Amino acid sequence: MEKEQDKILNEITQGDYKYGFYTNIEMETFPKGLNEDVVRMISAKKKEPEFLLEFRLKAFRHWKKMKMPDWAQLNIPEIDYQNIIYYAAPKKKPELESLDEVDPELRETFDKLGIALDEQKRLTGVAVDAVIDSVSVKTTFKETLAELGIIFSSFSEAVREHPDLVRKYLGSVVPYSDNFFAALNSAVFSDGSFCYIPKGVRCPMELSTYFRINAANTGQFERTLIVADESSYVSYLEGCTAPQRDENQLHAAIVEIIAHESAEVKYSTVQNWYPGDKNGLGGIFNFVTKRGICKGDNSKISWTQVETGSAITWKYPSCILKGNNSSAEFYSVAVTNNHQQADTGTKMIHIGKNTRSLIVSKGISAGNSQNSYRGLVKVLKNADNARNFSQCDSLLLGDKCGAHTFPYIEANNSSSVVEHEATTSKIGEDQIFYCNQRGISTEDAIGLIVNGYTKEVLNKLPMEFAVEAQKLLQISLEGSVG
Amino acid sequence: MTEVLTYKDNKLDFEDMFRKSEKTNGHVASFLRSFREEAAGSFIKSGLPGQNTTKYKYLDLDGLFSREYYYRFQQEIVHFDINHVFKCDIPNMNTKMQILLNGFYYGGQDSLVELQGGVKCGSMLQAAREMPDIFEKYYSKAVGKANDGLVDMNTALWRDGYFIYVPKNGSPGESLQVVNLVLSERNLFLQPRNMIILEEGAELNLVVCDHALSRKLSLSNSVSEIFVGANAKFDYTVLQNDHNSASQINYNFIDQGRDSRVEGNIISLHGGLIRNNHIVKLSGRGAENYLGGLNLTDGDQYIDNYVFVDHAVPDCYSEQFFKGVLDDKARGVFNGRILVQQDAQKTQAYQKNNNILLTDHARMNSNPQLEIYADDVKCTHGATVGQIDEEAMFYLRSRGIPENEARMMMMYGFAEEIIKKIKIDSLRERIEDFIARRLRGEMTRCENCSLLDR
């Protein structure tokens, strides 16, 4: 039994990264290094208005004074911030009318990723704002959205066309001084997505962006800003794959969400960046600041994430529940294998009355990986009747990995109820035995159990994503048991 | 000999204190010198632990130490028999009592007392002189490299404390009781250092009570090392019931051998500031550790429990169960960390922390943590902060029980889950009585102690 399990474990956990390929597109890059001139150059290159340059410079000056945080349960090799290219753009930026005009090589990249633009456009009704290495290449379905007054564009386009909106909301949830990586991003962010849903509009389709890191040695500094005005609704998807590289690549993104009165934003991510090889060589460093604010009464923000990639993940999608009766959800599946490290979780800050939050986190560790949940639930003094329930489960596959849980509860209101539960265990031998006995192979049995274990979270993903997420879990884990 | 603990420019003037302390320290067992010097060096380097460390995130140590305290290098000569003015009044509690007065063993220079079963107890300093072999074998072994400024400070400066030794398969036949008395005209800084050794197969029940008899400020930084050998059983109850000018930081380092069992209950009813550090190392297979804690706090009190359980070997069991009721502007912190090392398979570890907040000014921070490097384990933790169950309240009230009474019953039931584990009947009854009175808002002090309030 044990031997068979080991065999399966080896087969599965040593499978190579399926999306490791590299597209040769002509790139325009800046020299390595970061200083005020580079910040100015990025801004100039993108023909940005004065206020944005000011924002970048302020952030840069603040960043210089900051130190890289070391409180996470992570072992981060030293990063030389002067050895990174801070701007890379496909040289020709075609302004295209139809998909046919898109560079065929680029199209192929998307095809390999299984997100062929044309097919998606026709079949799934998903508008895709495809981002390759920082500059938005093609935005589809724009017209359909425009009719409803929805703005869904690349960040730089939004800066050009809707500077007032950008100015109003940029940095309002994640200020540039928030943390080390947020400051870095604010100084050098290259591009990203901007989304605005006007009053009373229910976005008819899932908005989706595929991020992709392409050229070697380019940090990707995305910036996403989603604003949902009164009584609007939007479901936003973000998915990531990255080609195989040997040198660690840095990714420090920011996502800001603003939900006004009675608005609802659903944000889903499947993250499958290159995790490094079996010996822990290479892989992406994913240091992301994601935060949403339920600004108005009765608003709702929901984060769903499936994390399978990256060598190091440092990510805490958070919610500030400011409006009365607002609610927030956080669903997460984090899988680590080989030498991956993840320190991920959420923060729920209850400010308004009758606010509710729910946290469901499922960690799975295998190989030599370390997987931590770190979460904060804070109930402020005036948050009457605030309610939180957190559940964090960890599953250990193999005896060389680690699973850690670090919840922080800070309750400051006597009518609030905060509950936290966590368990750590491995798949029971009795469960496997039960399945075996009924003719289900060990590998399938583990697949079944992991699937059931993560179902609560996967169910929250939009359909298109749920399929991909399940595949990813299978690739990363299925069959591995200790 | 008395010195003032000075604090200026956001720094404790420790070096000066240490130098003065060393000058008068000639008579102490010489092997301790290297420990003192090493600890002093380490404190000078690190200073007080700051709030940037997770361990001391919620406790402002600098603020605590910036008040003026006197530190005594020697036992103060008291002109009266403490046994005449202090007598524990818990009825039928047959314990062998030892007293620490202001951090010094009362009757300090006397030789160790020998009890039934070869059990020895007495002054820590006297133990170092009288039984050097045993003392040297154990001293500082549980503390090891604690990497904690406060522990280093204690190691560098301690002058006395209590010592209990239970030989192989021995048992004193009755419970031992240690009473920490504080009686002074001035603000005092105390640094007792205690050691409890249970050899293989030994048994010991211990009750520790704190009684500050004077209203002056006091700050105690105590370190206890507890060694529980193979198959030994150690049961202890700590009753913390001090007034609000008393602040205490306690470190209990527990090292457990194979198949040993330790059960502890920490009941904190009063105290201006209480910080308990329970640091448990399960170093023998099959060791079991249970730790229960109950705190009822009100006013401006602050209670902080830090638990660290290190599962270093397979087949061990640990459980922590802490409960708190916070009233007025009280602040509570629970920080529990379970570490399961890579080879510690078949570990079972459970951690639970439940709290009730009674007002909007009370605050609770709960931080249970699991750090697990082995796969065949069963570990859970849970934490809640909330109120009394309204449905249960409704149930009681619908049966004609007045609201106040019902609330009291519910809170009493909440507390009872911890208290029922206390094994000494008379002590449990006394604590139950304290809690019932405490929940009604009455001051609860042992009668004889309150007589001495000045």
Side-chain angles (χ1 to χ4, degrees):
Chain A
M1 174 91 174
E2 208 140 276
K3 267 200 178 146
E4 191 195 343
Q5 283 177 3
D6 282 350
K7 204 183 102 214
I8 294 167
L9 184 87
N10 283 345
E11 270 172 27
I12 299 300
T13 55
Q14 293 180 7
D16 273 329
Y17 184 71
K18 288 200 177 171
Y19 299 122
F21 52 85
Y22 172 63
T23 318
N24 274 319
I25 298 174
E26 237 182 312
M27 302 288 282
E28 179 185 46
T29 50
F30 279 22
K32 281 180 182 174
L34 181 58
N35 51 45
E36 260 192 52
D37 290 341
V38 170
V39 176
R40 280 176 201 280
M41 262 155 77
I42 293 172
S43 189
K45 196 99 207 158
K46 302 172 80 66
K47 301 190 180 68
E48 282 174 357
E50 191 62 27
F51 81 88
L52 209 52
L53 177 63
E54 279 304 308
F55 178 80
R56 284 175 185 277
L57 288 175
K58 257 194 271 175
F60 176 71
R61 284 167 199 150
H62 193 82
W63 177 75
K64 278 203 296 192
K65 283 184 257 164
M66 293 175 102
K67 265 198 198 128
M68 198 152 137
D70 59 358
W71 42 260
Q73 182 87 4
L74 299 172
N75 187 6
I76 306 172
E78 200 157 323
I79 299 170
D80 182 359
Y81 292 93
Q82 297 305 333
N83 196 23
I84 295 172
I85 300 167
Y86 285 87
Y87 184 82
K91 221 168 194 172
K92 279 178 280 179
K93 195 192 172 205
E95 306 261 338
L96 302 177
E97 293 300 317
S98 76
L99 285 169
D100 302 336
E101 294 173 40
V102 174
D103 185 344
E105 212 171 335
L106 199 59
R107 296 270 302 277
E108 209 182 311
T109 309
F110 285 118
D111 288 342
K112 278 190 210 162
L113 283 173
I115 54 148
L117 285 175
D118 41 2
E119 197 179 16
Q120 290 215 358
K121 191 173 179 183
R122 222 176 30 243
L123 298 175
T124 60
V126 175
V128 175
D129 177 17
V131 176
I132 276 218
D133 275 2
S134 324
V135 169
S136 172
V137 178
K138 181 68 193 169
T139 307
T140 47
F141 279 95
K142 224 168 161 182
E143 300 90 43
T144 329
L145 296 173
E147 274 169 36
L148 289 163
I150 296 172
I151 303 166
F152 180 44
S153 66
S154 73
F155 202 88
S156 7
E157 201 177 319
V159 169
R160 278 198 305 277
E161 286 166 26
H162 310 280
D164 294 348
L165 277 177
V166 173
R167 190 172 192 168
K168 185 172 170 193
Y169 293 108
L170 179 74
S172 67
V173 190
V174 182
Y176 65 82
S177 54
D178 192 77
N179 66 65
F180 183 82
F181 301 111
L184 179 64
N185 176 292
S186 301
V188 301
F189 68 90
S190 32
D191 207 339
S193 300
F194 175 81
C195 175
Y196 175 83
I197 317 290
K199 268 184 203 176
V201 171
R202 194 182 162 87
C203 183
M205 59 189 84
E206 319 262 1
L207 300 182
S208 157
T209 313
Y210 271 78
F211 290 101
R212 190 154 161 70
I213 301 178
N214 206 298
N217 266 335
T218 54
Q220 176 120 345
F221 302 94
E222 297 293 338
R223 185 132 196 153
T224 304
L225 181 55
I226 300 169
V227 183
D229 218 326
E230 269 172 52
S231 309
S232 64
Y233 167 85
V234 63
S235 167
Y236 191 92
L237 319 180
E238 181 208 71
C240 318
T241 54
Q244 192 155 353
R245 295 278 93 201
D246 271 339
E247 235 168 295
N248 289 310
Q249 289 182 309
L250 176 68
H251 181 96
I254 290 182
V255 176
E256 292 179 282
I257 298 178
I258 294 114
H260 285 284
E261 202 182 319
S262 304
E264 182 178 347
V265 179
K266 198 170 141 72
Y267 189 102
S268 316
T269 321
V270 173
Q271 189 261 110
N272 181 28
W273 277 329
Y274 179 53
D277 67 10
K278 274 157 246 155
N279 304 315
L281 204 70
I284 305 283
F285 291 176
N286 190 21
F287 304 138
V288 183
T289 309
K290 291 188 172 182
R291 195 175 302 152
I293 181 165
C294 290
K295 211 166 184 177
D297 295 354
N298 309 315
S299 53
K300 181 175 177 184
I301 291 178
S302 160
W303 298 100
T304 308
Q305 61 171 20
V306 175
E307 302 275 323
T308 60
S310 294
I312 301 175
T313 305
W314 184 97
K315 180 177 176 185
Y316 315 91
S318 312
C319 284
I320 301 165
L321 294 133
K322 193 172 169 221
N324 295 336
N325 313 319
S326 59
S327 67
E329 289 169 352
F330 173 78
Y331 293 94
S332 165
V333 172
V335 182
T336 53
N337 204 343
N338 296 322
H339 289 268
Q340 275 176 275
Q341 304 176 60
D343 195 301
T344 181
T346 184
K347 280 193 228 175
M348 295 290 176
I349 316 286
H350 291 259
I351 300 172
K353 297 188 196 329
N354 307 317
T355 47
R356 281 159 296 147
S357 65
L358 174 68
I359 299 171
V360 177
S361 165
K362 307 270 182 184
I364 303 172
S365 2
N368 291 304
S369 66
Q370 301 296 333
N371 197 335
S372 311
Y373 166 84
R374 186 184 302 276
L376 168 73
V377 176
K378 192 170 187 169
V379 179
L380 273 78
K381 210 157 139 185
N382 295 323
D384 293 344
N385 302 316
R387 184 78 178 85
N388 162 270
F389 176 76
S390 314
Q391 184 176 353
C392 308
D393 296 331
S394 307
L395 198 59
L396 289 152
L397 310 172
D399 55 5
K400 289 187 191 66
C401 49
H404 320 298
T405 324
F406 307 102
Y408 294 77
I409 296 173
E410 301 187 1
N412 210 350
N413 180 293
S414 64
S415 58
S416 62
V417 178
V418 181
E419 288 174 288
H420 172 91
E421 263 179 29
T423 61
T424 303
S425 57
K426 66 171 197 169
I427 295 177
E429 272 159 31
D430 50 337
Q431 292 169 316
I432 300 278
F433 179 74
Y434 182 92
C435 291
N436 282 163
Q437 201 196 31
R438 275 151 186 78
I440 300 166
S441 72
T442 305
E443 185 180 5
D444 288 347
I446 291 155
L448 271 175
I449 293 163
V450 169
N451 210 329
Y453 173 75
T454 54
K455 194 130 222 153
E456 203 180 342
V457 174
L458 295 186
N459 277 347
K460 294 286 161 185
L461 286 172
M463 225 251 297
E464 301 83 357
F465 255 28
V467 177
E468 184 175 344
Q470 230 163 35
K471 268 192 212 152
L472 272 179
L473 282 185
Q474 275 164 17
I475 292 168
S476 335
L477 273 178
E478 199 185 46
S480 46
V481 71
Chain B
M1 179 79 98
T2 312
E3 288 298 333
V4 186
L5 198 67
T6 46
Y7 185 94
K8 53 187 177 210
D9 306 329
N10 293 319
K11 237 184 121 202
L12 196 65
D13 190 6
F14 169 82
E15 266 186 275
D16 185 45
M17 174 71 86
F18 182 65
R19 247 183 295 116
K20 284 179 187 152
S21 170
E22 282 302 277
K23 260 186 213 161
T24 62
N25 222 348
H27 59 290
V28 180
S30 60
F31 106 102
L32 288 171
R33 181 184 297 271
S34 61
F35 286 96
R36 287 200 305 268
E37 276 167 3
E38 196 184 326
S42 152
F43 184 87
I44 289 163
K45 224 190 269 169
S46 69
L48 290 171
Q51 280 180 291
N52 52 357
T53 57
T54 331
K55 210 169 153 186
Y56 279 96
K57 193 171 172 200
Y58 301 104
L59 178 56
D60 175 19
L61 285 174
D62 285 304
L64 192 61
F65 276 86
S66 60
R67 293 176 225 162
E68 189 174 78
Y69 299 100
Y70 288 87
Y71 183 57
R72 284 185 222 281
F73 293 147
Q74 272 149 33
Q75 172 73 289
E76 189 184 14
I77 297 141
V78 270
H79 303 286
F80 50 87
D81 185 354
I82 201 82
N83 291 308
H84 288 163
V85 290
F86 175 77
K87 190 170 165 290
C88 186
D89 71 338
I90 300 177
N92 307 319
M93 193 158 90
N94 297 317
T95 56
K96 174 75 194 161
M97 194 162 70
Q98 301 176 83
I99 291 175
L100 281 191
L101 178 62
N102 297 340
F104 292 85
Y105 189 78
Y106 183 68
Q109 302 302 316
D110 303 347
S111 55
L112 298 177
V113 182
E114 184 155 351
L115 305 171
Q116 193 192 317
V119 177
K120 289 198 168 180
C121 59
S123 148
M124 183 78 170
L125 213 54
Q126 188 57 27
R129 290 194 197 108
E130 226 173 274
M131 24 196 337
D133 292 354
I134 297 209
F135 192 90
E136 288 178 29
K137 184 179 163 197
Y138 287 102
Y139 178 75
S140 206
K141 292 290 185 301
V143 166
K145 286 259 172 292
N147 284 328
D148 188 317
L150 288 169
V151 176
D152 286 335
M153 184 153 89
N154 181 290
T155 305
L157 292 177
W158 72 266
R159 287 313 183 91
D160 204 4
Y162 65 86
F163 174 86
I164 301 171
Y165 176 76
V166 189
K168 194 170 171 181
N169 298 325
S171 161
E174 57 187 338
S175 299
L176 297 191
Q177 185 178 10
V178 172
V179 181
N180 283 310
L181 293 179
V182 178
L183 181 59
S184 168
E185 307 276 318
R186 291 197 274 197
N187 297 340
L188 268 196
F189 177 54
L190 316 167
Q191 293 225 85
R193 173 75 164 224
N194 315 311
M195 193 143 89
I196 300 168
I197 301 165
L198 279 81
E199 297 278 19
E200 199 182 322
E203 274 183 45
L204 178 67
N205 288 339
L206 180 70
V207 181
V208 181
C209 308
D210 295 315
H211 287 286
L213 298 178
S214 46
R215 285 280 168 196
K216 286 288 174 188
L217 289 179
S218 67
L219 170 60
S220 163
N221 174 35
S222 81
V223 173
S224 308
E225 288 186 277
I226 300 161
F227 300 89
V228 185
N231 286 314
K233 266 191 203 154
F234 179 53
D235 191 292
Y236 67 109
T237 305
V238 179
L239 179 59
Q240 298 177 321
N241 198 11
D242 258 343
H243 57 68
N244 288 347
S245 0
S247 305
Q248 52 171 310
I249 302 165
N250 300 307
Y251 285 87
N252 285 335
F253 289 89
I254 301 178
D255 191 290
Q256 284 186 247
R258 191 176 178 122
D259 296 318
S260 62
R261 183 170 166 81
V262 171
E263 229 183 288
N265 287 291
I266 320 294
I267 313 295
S268 315
L269 300 181
H270 265 295
L273 182 146
I274 299 174
R275 159 74 182 226
N276 297 313
N277 299 277
H278 314 277
I279 296 149
V280 180
K281 181 161 187 185
L282 301 170
S283 42
R285 281 178 98 130
E288 287 181 29
N289 184 287
Y290 168 84
L291 193 58
L294 173 70
N295 52 281
L296 305 178
T297 35
D298 60 7
D300 286 323
Q301 296 173 36
Y302 174 95
I303 168 101
D304 186 339
N305 275 298
Y306 174 86
V307 183
F308 176 61
V309 181
D310 181 359
H311 280 265
V313 292
D315 303 319
C316 291
Y317 175 95
S318 75
E319 183 183 346
Q320 296 93 51
F321 193 8
F322 279 78
K323 286 192 154 193
V325 178
L326 295 105
D327 203 349
D328 298 339
K329 288 182 186 163
R331 279 200 68 183
V333 177
F334 173 77
N335 191 334
R337 193 164 146 227
I338 296 175
L339 169 69
V340 180
Q341 296 195 17
Q342 199 166 332
D343 299 324
Q345 299 294 4
K346 309 274 178 206
T347 287
Q348 289 187 58
Y350 307 99
Q351 197 171 63
K352 212 157 120 186
N353 177 228
N354 302 129
N355 303 286
I356 294 182
L357 291 186
L358 297 177
T359 70
D360 283 353
H361 299 286
R363 282 163 76 181
M364 181 68 209
N365 297 314
S366 181
N367 182 203
Q369 306 174 40
L370 293 173
E371 205 175 328
I372 296 165
Y373 297 94
D375 66 329
D376 192 2
V377 298
K378 273 189 193 147
C379 298
T380 64
H381 66 191
T384 60
V385 181
Q387 309 82 46
I388 290 164
D389 184 357
E390 285 307 315
E391 265 175 55
M393 277 292 287
F394 180 78
Y395 179 92
L396 290 174
R397 294 200 61 199
S398 68
R399 272 145 189 83
I401 297 165
E403 188 175 348
N404 265 347
E405 200 58 34
R407 201 166 287 278
M408 218 64 84
M409 284 169 78
M410 293 288 296
M411 288 207 281
Y412 189 76
F414 179 79
E416 182 66 18
E417 244 187 307
I418 301 290
I419 312 161
K420 69 178 181 198
K421 301 257 186 176
I422 297 172
K423 294 212 177 67
I424 305 169
D425 293 340
S426 50
L427 178 66
R428 188 181 57 246
E429 280 157 22
R430 166 56 61 97
I431 291 174
E432 281 169 350
D433 173 51
F434 271 1
I435 287 166
R437 277 158 61 196
R438 178 73 169 67
L439 292 173
R440 290 196 163 80
E442 293 168 24
M443 184 70 180
T444 52
R445 311 253 305 156
C446 289
E447 306 296 329
N448 282 347
C449 304
S450 51
L451 281 178
L452 273 162
D453 274 357
R454 349 175 159 172

